[in-house]
Amino acid sequence: VQLVESGGGLVQPGGSLTLSCTVSGFTFGTYVMGWFRQAPGKEREFVSGITWSGGFTDYADSVRGRFTISRDRATNTLYLQMNSLNAEDTAVYYCAGVRSSLLRRLSFDYDHWGQGTQVTVSS
């Protein structure tokens, strides 16, 4: 199982960024994929999750209405579209996966993790 994130970088406040996560090595029928982030000195926190088969989504309150999670089953790619970014969104963002039919918010529920991609929001 391999998860590889990309798309991080430096963006100005109010800007947008789209993260991608290519997924390989497992079947997707009953998998849930999630995005988490970890800022310096803080614990890893849930950002968003999606059921791979049905496309049901979940968002942390801090990003709801600004971020959109999606997946492309043809290319086995997970996305996180981030709009209206602010300094509090600065963190390393990780994609994660777990065999489950239910959306999950706790990091220890996830079995597979990517290496992370840095997102910095600064002027």
Side-chain angles (χ1 to χ4, degrees):
V1 176
Q2 188 173 20
L3 308 178
V4 180
E5 302 98 333
S6 62
L10 174 65
V11 61
Q12 292 186 342
S16 299
L17 208 57
T18 299
L19 304 182
S20 301
C21 175
T22 56
V23 188
S24 61
F26 56 71
T27 57
F28 293 98
T30 55
Y31 263 84
V32 166
M33 299 299 297
W35 286 100
F36 288 78
R37 66 186 182 186
Q38 188 166 19
K42 295 187 177 181
E43 294 186 354
R44 190 170 297 188
E45 65 173 357
F46 171 79
V47 174
S48 183
I50 188 168
T51 58
W52 195 262
S53 58
F56 297 101
T57 59
D58 186 24
Y59 295 93
D61 289 344
S62 59
V63 306
R64 185 175 289 110
R66 300 188 298 123
F67 291 11
T68 302
I69 191 171
S70 62
R71 86 280 190 240
D72 185 332
R73 290 188 286 177
T75 61
N76 293 342
T77 305
L78 177 72
Y79 298 100
L80 185 68
Q81 171 68 43
M82 305 184 293
N83 298 325
S84 302
L85 287 161
N86 57 61
E88 288 69 40
D89 296 315
T90 295
V92 177
Y93 283 71
Y94 300 88
C95 68
V98 60
R99 186 179 292 277
S100 174
S101 59
L102 300 176
L103 289 163
R104 306 277 182 170
R105 287 191 165 209
L106 300 177
S107 60
F108 60 72
D109 281 337
Y110 286 76
D111 299 321
H112 309 290
W113 291 85
Q115 83 288 350
T117 186
Q118 177 70 48
V119 172
T120 303
V121 184
S122 175
S123 55

